Amino acid sequence: MVPSYDGEPEGFDVLVLDAHSRQSLAAVRSLGRAGLRVATAECFAECDPALAPLAFRSRYAGRSVVLPSFADDAHAFAAGVVAFVGRNPTRVVLPTSDGSIAALIGWRRHLEALDCRLALPSEDALAAANDKGRTLMEAHRLGIAYPPTVCCNSLSDLPTALGTVGFPAVLKPTRSWAPRTVERLNAVEVVNKGEAESAARSFLHAGAGVLAQRWVGGRREGATLFVEGGEVRASFAVVAHRTTPALGGASVLRESVPVPPDLYDPSVRLVKALGLEGPCEVEYRRDESGCPLLMEINARLAGPLETALRSGVDLPVMVWRWATGLPVTPPGDYRTVRMRWLRGDMRWLRDNFDRVGRPDSVSRARSLWDFGSEFARSTHYDCIDWRDPGPILAELRTTARSVRLSSRGRPVHDRRNGTEAARPKRKVESGGS
């Protein structure tokens, strides 16, 4: 079903999708402060007005619309985006999640027919970057280090793969958004054959391949690059101190750092070899010797976006100028900041209590100390900007509801990012103004 839109048609400089995500909120604020007319969209099939997506609450959101869910009907979601642009002339569409990107691949020409640009690299480059197997093959060709990895095309391949990589192991889907899934697929750690078979079976059932990889427990680092015309126009790096889920999830505590040379060079070579343009984040973990090992690429604005903005690297404005064909001004040196997503860190603390002794866990006493002492260290918190208080209130309501549900033993799964969150209740069939 293509949604209908109430109100008079308007023109916008950008439609930011995935309004639920923190990176979309950060992008809306950045673009709005640059004087651009911003619309926001989210694809919840269910919507509770009391828990509206973060970016819907921003003062910079000139119009907000709920679209059909890309998880349930990718065609209807993409058609809804095109219908919105057709009624409200929009210069750029900016998706920030793997699911919305997957749904819009193949619809670029429909948007361009409306004089609208999709702020993504080419389909070929996206296909290569979004397939972890192809990314590692390119890394192998370029001599970029990554953990020992074996591809499994069926469950019968799993014993041999696990014999090669050993336990604990990491099982990764070759794609985060597969054709037969309604959830984002996340990498998981496994410590025995039973866990490995269960995880591999779920990935294969969803239509993704399986990569068995040796677990690496060192520091998580990410290099973000902005590429225009094959040249790196900006670079930025973060250290992710904590994530949820603990293995490869959203960063809940991160710190910007100068880009390490041993990350910059392989990242640039890989991104150029894949033909990526615009923003992309290349993720690594260091092994016990300190060597960075490639994990994956996010060919989009990713979770550390607000940290980049606080540090002085305005990626959303760069993306918008790149998409519209305007010259992109490289940023100067950036400052280092430490940022925390409090609701995510609360989830990390709770989850750690349940998984002590597993990879990427710490003792309960250590987790309590780490969580509590961070209040004296972090001066910046995700979503909190007193010049734009609406999203802060929405985040507080969502946090309070998550705490209530968790205290009742009723965790709620957020199928968009594979984490738990407050789930909206009331079904919405059509878009609104």
Side-chain angles (χ1 to χ4, degrees):
M1 172 180 165
V2 177
S4 60
Y5 303 96
D6 299 328
E8 293 299 318
E10 298 180 64
F12 295 97
D13 292 302
V14 59
L15 171 64
V16 179
L17 306 180
D18 310 297
H20 173 72
S21 72
R22 291 171 294 140
Q23 58 262 37
S24 285
L25 172 61
V28 167
R29 285 169 164 169
S30 166
L31 296 165
R33 287 178 183 138
L36 301 177
R37 299 163 299 169
V38 182
T40 60
E42 185 49 278
C43 72
F44 287 132
E46 300 171 338
C47 187
D48 184 342
L51 296 173
L54 289 170
F56 280 14
R57 299 297 190 185
S58 174
R59 59 183 291 212
Y60 301 105
R63 174 80 67 90
S64 297
V65 60
V66 177
L67 298 168
S69 172
F70 56 65
D72 298 323
D73 192 338
H75 183 276
F77 169 80
V81 172
V82 173
F84 177 88
V85 173
R87 178 171 172 80
N88 304 275
T90 303
R91 298 181 67 182
V92 173
V93 170
L94 176 58
T96 68
S97 80
D98 295 331
S100 61
I101 290 172
L104 287 171
I105 289 177
W107 288 76
R108 192 189 302 261
R109 68 181 186 278
H110 296 279
L111 293 170
E112 291 179 348
L114 298 169
D115 200 24
C116 176
R117 298 294 177 264
L118 183 60
L120 291 174
S122 70
E123 272 91 23
D124 288 343
L126 273 175
N130 290 340
D131 187 319
K132 295 180 178 65
R134 291 178 62 181
T135 298
L136 293 182
M137 288 176 60
E138 192 63 34
H140 178 76
R141 186 184 71 82
L142 296 171
I144 297 171
Y146 57 88
T149 304
V150 179
C151 181
C152 302
N153 296 313
S154 68
L155 285 178
S156 62
D157 297 331
L158 193 58
T160 300
L162 294 174
T164 300
V165 303
F167 288 112
V170 176
L171 294 192
K172 295 181 175 181
T174 52
R175 290 179 288 172
S176 297
W177 202 264
R180 296 194 299 273
T181 184
V182 295
E183 297 179 357
R184 188 180 191 275
L185 302 175
N186 291 308
V188 295
E189 88 278 357
V190 294
V191 297
N192 55 51
K193 180 181 176 182
E195 289 183 358
E197 289 180 348
S198 176
R201 186 177 292 109
S202 67
F203 293 158
L204 293 168
H205 178 74
V210 180
L211 299 177
Q213 195 169 78
R214 183 172 298 168
W215 176 73
V216 178
R219 193 160 93 154
R220 302 176 182 87
E221 300 179 21
T224 296
L225 305 176
F226 188 92
V227 181
E228 180 191 31
E231 298 298 324
V232 178
R233 307 289 284 172
S235 60
F236 171 78
V238 296
V239 176
H241 297 295
R242 291 199 283 271
T243 64
T244 180
L247 183 73
S251 61
V252 301
L253 179 63
R254 76 201 79 87
E255 188 172 8
S256 56
V257 296
V259 183
D262 59 355
L263 264 62
Y264 182 81
D265 176 67
S267 298
V268 172
R269 290 191 290 121
L270 181 60
V271 166
K272 287 186 176 183
L274 294 174
L276 289 170
E277 294 273 314
C280 57
E281 181 194 31
V282 190
E283 297 182 7
Y284 299 84
R285 287 197 81 164
R286 294 188 181 270
D287 63 14
E288 58 249 0
S289 68
C291 175
L293 303 181
L294 175 69
M295 294 289 116
E296 65 177 4
I297 294 181
N298 292 311
R300 53 176 171 80
L301 293 175
L305 177 59
E306 188 166 357
T307 310
L309 288 166
R310 298 269 187 174
S311 299
V313 182
D314 199 336
L315 289 169
V317 170
M318 295 178 71
V319 170
W320 186 82
R321 294 183 67 87
W322 162 69
T324 55
L326 295 173
V328 174
T329 303
D333 294 337
Y334 58 85
R335 58 189 175 274
T336 59
V337 300
R338 188 178 180 95
M339 288 203 70
R340 185 186 200 186
W341 179 32
L342 184 56
R343 177 159 58 94
D345 211 14
M346 292 167 60
R347 186 183 302 149
W348 170 84
L349 178 65
R350 182 203 63 198
D351 291 348
N352 185 80
F353 263 58
D354 295 334
R355 58 189 308 279
V356 171
R358 295 183 67 87
D360 287 311
S361 69
V362 296
S363 70
R364 292 182 177 181
R366 173 66 184 273
S367 68
L368 286 169
W369 170 258
D370 288 348
F371 180 85
S373 63
E374 192 58 39
F375 286 102
R377 301 185 66 186
S378 290
T379 56
H380 300 285
Y381 283 78
D382 285 13
C383 308
I384 296 181
D385 187 326
W386 300 114
R387 296 170 295 176
D388 186 26
I392 303 171
L393 300 176
E395 176 73 357
L396 289 174
R397 282 193 292 268
T398 302
T399 301
R401 188 165 188 256
S402 296
V403 170
R404 288 198 303 271
L405 292 175
S406 180
S407 66
R408 298 170 187 167
R410 293 171 53 202
V412 180
H413 191 72
D414 178 0
R415 67 185 185 181
R416 296 176 49 85
N417 59 21
T419 60
E420 291 171 10
R423 184 174 182 174
K425 294 179 179 178
R426 184 163 57 87
K427 191 170 183 180
V428 174
E429 294 291 349
S430 62
S433 58

mmCIF file of all heavy atoms in Angstrom, residues 340-356:
data_model
loop_
_atom_site.group_PDB
_atom_site.id
_atom_site.type_symbol
_atom_site.label_atom_id
_atom_site.label_comp_id
_atom_site.label_asym_id
_atom_site.label_seq_id
_atom_site.Cartn_x
_atom_site.Cartn_y
_atom_site.Cartn_z
ATOM 1 N N ARG A 340 28.596 9.014 25.266
ATOM 2 C CA ARG A 340 27.922 7.850 25.839
ATOM 3 C C ARG A 340 26.454 7.861 25.428
ATOM 4 O O ARG A 340 25.812 8.916 25.425
ATOM 5 C CB ARG A 340 28.026 7.925 27.362
ATOM 6 C CG ARG A 340 27.484 6.726 28.121
ATOM 7 C CD ARG A 340 27.527 7.025 29.608
ATOM 8 N NE ARG A 340 27.467 5.822 30.426
ATOM 9 C CZ ARG A 340 27.373 5.829 31.753
ATOM 10 N NH1 ARG A 340 27.327 6.993 32.403
ATOM 11 N NH2 ARG A 340 27.313 4.692 32.427
ATOM 12 N N TRP A 341 25.949 6.694 25.071
ATOM 13 C CA TRP A 341 24.518 6.499 24.856
ATOM 14 C C TRP A 341 23.995 5.810 26.105
ATOM 15 O O TRP A 341 24.192 4.613 26.295
ATOM 16 C CB TRP A 341 24.262 5.654 23.609
ATOM 17 C CG TRP A 341 22.824 5.389 23.338
ATOM 18 C CD1 TRP A 341 21.760 6.193 23.606
ATOM 19 C CD2 TRP A 341 22.276 4.203 22.736
ATOM 20 N NE1 TRP A 341 20.586 5.604 23.217
ATOM 21 C CE2 TRP A 341 20.870 4.387 22.681
ATOM 22 C CE3 TRP A 341 22.829 3.032 22.231
ATOM 23 C CZ2 TRP A 341 20.024 3.410 22.150
ATOM 24 C CZ3 TRP A 341 21.990 2.065 21.700
ATOM 25 C CH2 TRP A 341 20.606 2.259 21.652
ATOM 26 N N LEU A 342 23.346 6.561 26.990
ATOM 27 C CA LEU A 342 23.034 6.055 28.317
ATOM 28 C C LEU A 342 22.088 4.862 28.273
ATOM 29 O O LEU A 342 22.296 3.872 28.981
ATOM 30 C CB LEU A 342 22.443 7.175 29.176
ATOM 31 C CG LEU A 342 22.156 6.800 30.633
ATOM 32 C CD1 LEU A 342 23.409 6.281 31.324
ATOM 33 C CD2 LEU A 342 21.572 7.993 31.389
ATOM 34 N N ARG A 343 21.034 4.935 27.456
ATOM 35 C CA ARG A 343 20.100 3.799 27.395
ATOM 36 C C ARG A 343 20.805 2.544 26.898
ATOM 37 O O ARG A 343 20.595 1.448 27.414
ATOM 38 C CB ARG A 343 18.910 4.143 26.488
ATOM 39 C CG ARG A 343 17.923 3.005 26.310
ATOM 40 C CD ARG A 343 16.561 3.507 25.871
ATOM 41 N NE ARG A 343 16.598 4.261 24.643
ATOM 42 C CZ ARG A 343 16.375 3.745 23.433
ATOM 43 N NH1 ARG A 343 16.128 2.444 23.300
ATOM 44 N NH2 ARG A 343 16.383 4.499 22.355
ATOM 45 N N GLY A 344 21.670 2.700 25.904
ATOM 46 C CA GLY A 344 22.427 1.550 25.422
ATOM 47 C C GLY A 344 23.399 1.023 26.458
ATOM 48 O O GLY A 344 23.607 -0.197 26.572
ATOM 49 N N ASP A 345 24.005 1.929 27.247
ATOM 50 C CA ASP A 345 24.944 1.483 28.271
ATOM 51 C C ASP A 345 24.212 0.749 29.388
ATOM 52 O O ASP A 345 24.741 -0.202 29.973
ATOM 53 C CB ASP A 345 25.707 2.683 28.824
ATOM 54 C CG ASP A 345 27.115 2.319 29.279
ATOM 55 O OD1 ASP A 345 27.586 1.215 28.934
ATOM 56 O OD2 ASP A 345 27.746 3.144 29.964
ATOM 57 N N MET A 346 22.991 1.173 29.703
ATOM 58 C CA MET A 346 22.179 0.442 30.675
ATOM 59 C C MET A 346 21.884 -0.970 30.167
ATOM 60 O O MET A 346 21.922 -1.950 30.927
ATOM 61 C CB MET A 346 20.873 1.195 30.924
ATOM 62 C CG MET A 346 21.052 2.519 31.645
ATOM 63 S SD MET A 346 19.578 3.564 31.591
ATOM 64 C CE MET A 346 18.378 2.528 32.413
ATOM 65 N N ARG A 347 21.617 -1.085 28.877
ATOM 66 C CA ARG A 347 21.367 -2.403 28.280
ATOM 67 C C ARG A 347 22.626 -3.257 28.337
ATOM 68 O O ARG A 347 22.570 -4.463 28.610
ATOM 69 C CB ARG A 347 20.893 -2.211 26.843
ATOM 70 C CG ARG A 347 20.453 -3.494 26.154
ATOM 71 C CD ARG A 347 20.069 -3.190 24.720
ATOM 72 N NE ARG A 347 19.018 -2.206 24.654
ATOM 73 C CZ ARG A 347 18.876 -1.333 23.662
ATOM 74 N NH1 ARG A 347 19.746 -1.323 22.670
ATOM 75 N NH2 ARG A 347 17.872 -0.482 23.667
ATOM 76 N N TRP A 348 23.791 -2.619 28.060
ATOM 77 C CA TRP A 348 25.058 -3.353 28.140
ATOM 78 C C TRP A 348 25.265 -3.908 29.548
ATOM 79 O O TRP A 348 25.661 -5.065 29.720
ATOM 80 C CB TRP A 348 26.225 -2.432 27.774
ATOM 81 C CG TRP A 348 27.556 -3.044 28.073
ATOM 82 C CD1 TRP A 348 28.270 -3.902 27.297
ATOM 83 C CD2 TRP A 348 28.314 -2.872 29.296
ATOM 84 N NE1 TRP A 348 29.426 -4.272 27.952
ATOM 85 C CE2 TRP A 348 29.477 -3.664 29.162
ATOM 86 C CE3 TRP A 348 28.117 -2.128 30.463
ATOM 87 C CZ2 TRP A 348 30.442 -3.726 30.169
ATOM 88 C CZ3 TRP A 348 29.070 -2.196 31.466
ATOM 89 C CH2 TRP A 348 30.223 -2.981 31.317
ATOM 90 N N LEU A 349 24.989 -3.096 30.573
ATOM 91 C CA LEU A 349 25.168 -3.527 31.957
ATOM 92 C C LEU A 349 24.270 -4.716 32.274
ATOM 93 O O LEU A 349 24.724 -5.717 32.854
ATOM 94 C CB LEU A 349 24.856 -2.360 32.897
ATOM 95 C CG LEU A 349 24.957 -2.643 34.392
ATOM 96 C CD1 LEU A 349 26.390 -2.970 34.791
ATOM 97 C CD2 LEU A 349 24.438 -1.448 35.194
ATOM 98 N N ARG A 350 23.004 -4.617 31.895
ATOM 99 C CA ARG A 350 22.076 -5.723 32.148
ATOM 100 C C ARG A 350 22.501 -6.990 31.423
ATOM 101 O O ARG A 350 22.533 -8.086 32.000
ATOM 102 C CB ARG A 350 20.663 -5.318 31.701
ATOM 103 C CG ARG A 350 19.580 -6.377 31.964
ATOM 104 C CD ARG A 350 18.406 -6.165 31.046
ATOM 105 N NE ARG A 350 18.785 -6.336 29.651
ATOM 106 C CZ ARG A 350 18.061 -5.890 28.632
ATOM 107 N NH1 ARG A 350 16.945 -5.227 28.850
ATOM 108 N NH2 ARG A 350 18.462 -6.101 27.391
ATOM 109 N N ASP A 351 22.866 -6.858 30.145
ATOM 110 C CA ASP A 351 23.252 -8.031 29.371
ATOM 111 C C ASP A 351 24.530 -8.660 29.907
ATOM 112 O O ASP A 351 24.685 -9.890 29.900
ATOM 113 C CB ASP A 351 23.430 -7.654 27.898
ATOM 114 C CG ASP A 351 22.117 -7.304 27.220
ATOM 115 O OD1 ASP A 351 21.050 -7.565 27.824
ATOM 116 O OD2 ASP A 351 22.156 -6.758 26.101
ATOM 117 N N ASN A 352 25.477 -7.822 30.351
ATOM 118 C CA ASN A 352 26.728 -8.366 30.865
ATOM 119 C C ASN A 352 26.485 -9.243 32.089
ATOM 120 O O ASN A 352 27.164 -10.255 32.285
ATOM 121 C CB ASN A 352 27.699 -7.237 31.203
ATOM 122 C CG ASN A 352 29.051 -7.760 31.628
ATOM 123 O OD1 ASN A 352 29.888 -8.125 30.807
ATOM 124 N ND2 ASN A 352 29.290 -7.816 32.939
ATOM 125 N N PHE A 353 25.513 -8.864 32.928
ATOM 126 C CA PHE A 353 25.198 -9.675 34.104
ATOM 127 C C PHE A 353 24.795 -11.090 33.706
ATOM 128 O O PHE A 353 25.056 -12.041 34.443
ATOM 129 C CB PHE A 353 24.069 -9.003 34.897
ATOM 130 C CG PHE A 353 24.553 -8.173 36.045
ATOM 131 C CD1 PHE A 353 25.428 -7.123 35.822
ATOM 132 C CD2 PHE A 353 24.150 -8.434 37.339
ATOM 133 C CE1 PHE A 353 25.880 -6.347 36.872
ATOM 134 C CE2 PHE A 353 24.598 -7.661 38.407
ATOM 135 C CZ PHE A 353 25.482 -6.610 38.173
ATOM 136 N N ASP A 354 24.161 -11.225 32.541
ATOM 137 C CA ASP A 354 23.667 -12.529 32.101
ATOM 138 C C ASP A 354 24.700 -13.341 31.333
ATOM 139 O O ASP A 354 24.458 -14.513 31.050
ATOM 140 C CB ASP A 354 22.428 -12.350 31.214
ATOM 141 C CG ASP A 354 21.253 -11.749 31.970
ATOM 142 O OD1 ASP A 354 21.200 -11.932 33.202
ATOM 143 O OD2 ASP A 354 20.411 -11.094 31.327
ATOM 144 N N ARG A 355 25.834 -12.725 30.977
ATOM 145 C CA ARG A 355 26.779 -13.436 30.104
ATOM 146 C C ARG A 355 28.206 -13.399 30.635
ATOM 147 O O ARG A 355 29.161 -13.522 29.867
ATOM 148 C CB ARG A 355 26.710 -12.860 28.687
ATOM 149 C CG ARG A 355 26.998 -11.381 28.577
ATOM 150 C CD ARG A 355 26.678 -10.859 27.175
ATOM 151 N NE ARG A 355 27.298 -11.635 26.136
ATOM 152 C CZ ARG A 355 28.567 -11.501 25.748
ATOM 153 N NH1 ARG A 355 29.351 -10.620 26.327
ATOM 154 N NH2 ARG A 355 29.047 -12.252 24.785
ATOM 155 N N VAL A 356 28.361 -13.228 31.935
ATOM 156 C CA VAL A 356 29.700 -13.231 32.530
ATOM 157 C C VAL A 356 30.404 -14.544 32.195
ATOM 158 O O VAL A 356 29.824 -15.625 32.290
ATOM 159 C CB VAL A 356 29.620 -13.037 34.058
ATOM 160 C CG1 VAL A 356 30.988 -13.266 34.695
ATOM 161 C CG2 VAL A 356 29.124 -11.630 34.378
#
